[in-house]
Amino acid sequence: MTFPTSLRRPRSISPPGTDTPATTSARSSHRAAPSAPVLPDDVLAIRSAEGDEDAFALLVKRHTPALLALAYHLMGSLPDAEEAVQDAFTSAWRCLPSFRHQASFHTWIYRITVNRCLNAKRRHRSALPLHTVPEPTDPDPVCAPSAAAETAALARALLTALGRLPDHQRTCWVLYELHGLSYRDICHITGVPEPTVRGRLFRARRSLQEAMAPWR
């Protein structure tokens, strides 16, 4: 099973609010057309396993933002995160025929992504470029520049502290605190029992609290 060509070369999508002659004509001729039903992941996964590239493209579009955020917090580099997510989806496409749905697709693709990130870090073992923090969004006009600078410094400090955690602690913390996953899902993703997950979270929180104490 090869990776879909359409996913290697994403189709061009007009930005929200951008009208083209084709879209304007389509809206005028189909104003009453009902919206397509939103298919759940499991249905799309089954169709993808049967070779439906469009179904898999929907899964990629649906899960890429969260997976990129996950990979970035584990890798510390946006290019590395993008590569890990691409590798994860490539692997998922190839392995979908053997996916037994014992866990949700969401949990399954998270596990693949985490493994890709950790394997890449084991191969390179280079220091995380934690100084490369994304530029903060434009501050609120009513917010003083000093407050915006303090917020950016706080974000850098947290990212630095997070990068100093052992991989297994950082993974559990990111999955639980930033992605809101349950202990059960984290167990599926990391392959360790719940008491181990709880222990890693406890140690990660304690280390982060100590590192962030000057900011309280």
Side-chain angles (χ1 to χ4, degrees):
M1 195 177 194
T2 58
F3 197 59
T5 304
S6 61
L7 297 180
R8 291 199 296 269
R9 296 194 298 271
R11 299 165 184 166
S12 176
I13 300 175
S14 299
T18 302
D19 286 336
T20 64
T23 56
T24 304
S25 174
R27 278 204 303 270
S28 61
S29 58
H30 298 287
R31 292 185 186 278
S35 58
V38 177
L39 296 177
D41 284 353
D42 288 344
V43 173
L44 292 174
I46 292 172
R47 294 185 179 180
S48 299
E50 296 171 348
D52 187 335
E53 295 187 11
D54 289 335
F56 192 67
L58 288 174
L59 288 172
V60 171
K61 182 178 180 180
R62 183 177 294 175
H63 292 280
T64 290
L67 293 179
L68 274 177
L70 168 65
Y72 176 75
H73 284 104
L74 296 182
M75 303 288 288
S77 160
L78 185 56
D80 289 342
E82 291 173 339
E83 182 178 353
V85 172
Q86 176 72 11
D87 288 346
F89 277 122
T90 302
S91 178
W93 171 255
R94 292 170 178 163
C95 296
L96 266 170
S98 60
F99 178 40
R100 301 305 176 201
H101 298 271
Q102 295 174 343
S104 66
F105 176 84
H106 175 269
T107 300
W108 186 65
I109 193 63
Y110 261 64
R111 179 169 188 168
I112 294 175
T113 304
V114 166
N115 287 338
R116 287 294 176 278
C117 292
L118 297 183
N119 288 340
K121 289 186 66 178
R122 291 188 191 103
R123 285 196 303 269
H124 299 300
R125 278 301 165 199
S126 57
L128 286 174
L130 292 170
H131 58 280
T132 351
V133 178
E135 289 294 326
T137 55
D138 292 335
D140 191 306
V142 302
C143 184
S146 58
E150 183 178 357
T151 299
L154 176 61
R156 284 194 294 270
L158 176 59
L159 198 58
T160 300
L162 193 59
R164 290 172 179 163
L165 293 177
D167 288 344
H168 59 275
Q169 291 183 20
R170 179 168 58 254
T171 298
C172 288
W173 190 90
V174 168
L175 291 172
Y176 187 83
E177 299 291 351
L178 300 185
H179 291 261
L181 298 187
S182 66
Y183 289 122
R184 181 180 179 183
D185 284 342
I186 298 174
C187 291
H188 279 298
I189 291 167
T190 59
V192 297
E194 184 173 322
T196 302
V197 170
R198 290 180 179 273
R200 290 176 179 178
L201 276 171
F202 173 79
R203 289 187 288 276
R205 287 167 177 156
R206 183 174 59 187
S207 296
L208 291 175
Q209 286 173 355
E210 292 174 356
M212 301 303 293
W215 292 89
R216 293 176 185 171

